[in-house]
Amino acid sequence: MLCVSCCILKWHTVCAQNKADYVCVHAVKPGQCPIPEMIPLCAESCFHDGQCPATQKCCPTTGGFACSDPREVLVR
């Protein structure tokens, strides 16, 4: 399958069916990003969630985007 080999080469994208065809899409991890000022300057830079380890998300910072642990959401 072309999509699977395409996705393996594109940094943690996933293969998704789009009507009759398959396409590569970036993985989106659950959770919300913390306030940009709360992300450490030494965090690994990224372009999408699939580039970040484990449960970390690719979040906006004051100087670009970086991998960060998602913040906990309070449920009321």
Side-chain angles (χ1 to χ4, degrees):
M1 176 190 263
L2 179 62
C3 181
V4 172
S5 60
C6 162
C7 292
I8 290 170
L9 298 174
K10 291 190 176 180
W11 293 20
H12 303 288
T13 56
V14 293
C15 189
Q17 189 168 11
N18 181 9
K19 296 184 182 175
D21 199 6
Y22 287 87
V23 295
C24 293
V25 294
H26 293 298
V28 177
K29 296 179 183 177
Q32 294 181 351
C33 290
I35 298 168
E37 293 82 14
M38 300 300 291
I39 298 174
L41 294 175
C42 60
E44 182 179 341
S45 64
C46 57
F47 293 102
H48 59 80
D49 287 356
Q51 295 174 313
C52 298
T55 59
Q56 289 189 338
K57 295 181 63 61
C58 185
C59 299
T61 68
T62 54
F65 286 84
C67 295
S68 179
D69 292 321
R71 65 183 171 98
E72 292 187 27
V73 178
L74 298 176
V75 179
R76 293 181 183 198

